Amino acid sequence: LERRTLLSLAIMPALTLLLVWTNHLHGLIWSSVQLDRSGLYPVLSLRYGPGFWIHTLYSYLLIIAGSLTLIRFSRRAQRLYRQQVRIILLAMFVSWLSNAIYIFRANPIPNLDLTPLAFAITGVLVAWGFLRFQFLDLVPLARGAVIESMRDGVIVLDGWNRIADFNPAAEAILQRRLSRAIG
């Protein structure tokens, strides 16, 4: 990502943070914050302001854009990469869904935010993905732009002499499908 792109992506989070810090002056993030003691335990009862909804829309659009990018990548990726992407998407979905249930007040237990629990589940899924599908042991996402388009056959081995990647030219030279040999 270029510096200009990163800066433009940082504008909304920085503005939202500023609005949170100064919310007591304008109520644009939370128009009302109360402690609800009517249930078994006290919980915060929040009424969201327009700044909150704008930030939520921005965040959800970024989540959707990232998910679509991963889905598009997985369609042309090798089997191991597709499995890695599925774990990432599942982890994202768990967190997003629990947050959406809380924000849109669809939880059967009013004002109970399950997002922290969902982040714990997400952490377990990602940790499992690291161990099971060798996240970060293999080549990064951008490899397709270089290796796939090469005319020369390339087989990449990791530090443990496992096949980490290959290109279609290598399969043609060896006259063998290598997709099951990854890892």
Side-chain angles (χ1 to χ4, degrees):
L1 292 173
E2 295 177 14
R3 176 175 271 171
R4 179 195 292 172
T5 305
L6 288 173
L7 287 174
S8 66
L9 287 172
I11 290 171
M12 184 56 120
L15 180 60
T16 302
L17 189 57
L18 181 65
L19 290 176
V20 167
W21 288 341
T22 59
N23 188 72
H24 63 283
L25 300 173
H26 49 70
L28 290 174
I29 298 294
W30 301 289
S31 59
S32 167
V33 178
Q34 297 176 345
L35 190 60
D36 181 1
R37 297 175 190 261
S38 64
L40 294 174
Y41 49 87
V43 293
L44 277 180
S45 177
L46 305 170
R47 185 167 297 147
Y48 304 116
F52 175 86
W53 292 114
I54 291 169
H55 175 73
T56 300
L57 176 65
Y58 173 80
S59 298
Y60 282 16
L61 287 174
L62 288 179
I63 291 169
I64 291 167
S67 298
L68 291 175
T69 300
L70 286 171
I71 290 167
R72 194 172 41 238
F73 166 77
S74 72
R75 287 189 176 162
R76 64 180 186 279
Q78 296 160 2
R79 188 172 59 93
L80 181 64
Y81 297 123
R82 281 193 304 271
Q83 291 171 327
Q84 291 176 350
V85 168
R86 286 182 190 135
I87 292 297
I88 291 170
L89 288 170
L90 177 61
M92 287 172 55
F93 181 74
V94 166
S95 296
W96 170 80
L97 181 62
S98 68
N99 183 254
I101 287 171
Y102 173 70
I103 287 173
F104 295 106
R105 305 191 193 295
N107 192 341
I109 304 170
N111 298 320
L112 179 63
D113 186 0
L114 296 175
T115 307
L117 175 63
F119 279 133
I121 293 168
T122 295
V124 169
L125 284 171
V126 170
W128 178 68
F130 270 101
L131 298 172
R132 173 70 175 90
F133 297 111
Q134 305 152 354
F135 279 6
L136 303 180
D137 283 355
L138 303 176
V139 293
L141 199 72
R143 56 66 88 201
V146 176
I147 293 179
E148 289 290 321
S149 62
M150 291 178 69
R151 293 184 186 157
D152 297 325
V154 175
I155 297 176
V156 179
L157 302 178
D158 65 12
W160 297 275
N161 290 323
R162 297 179 301 189
I163 295 177
D165 201 6
F166 62 90
N167 68 353
E171 282 187 322
I173 291 167
L174 297 174
Q175 297 179 343
R176 184 173 172 203
R177 283 189 49 91
L178 295 175
S179 60
R180 293 182 185 217
I182 292 233

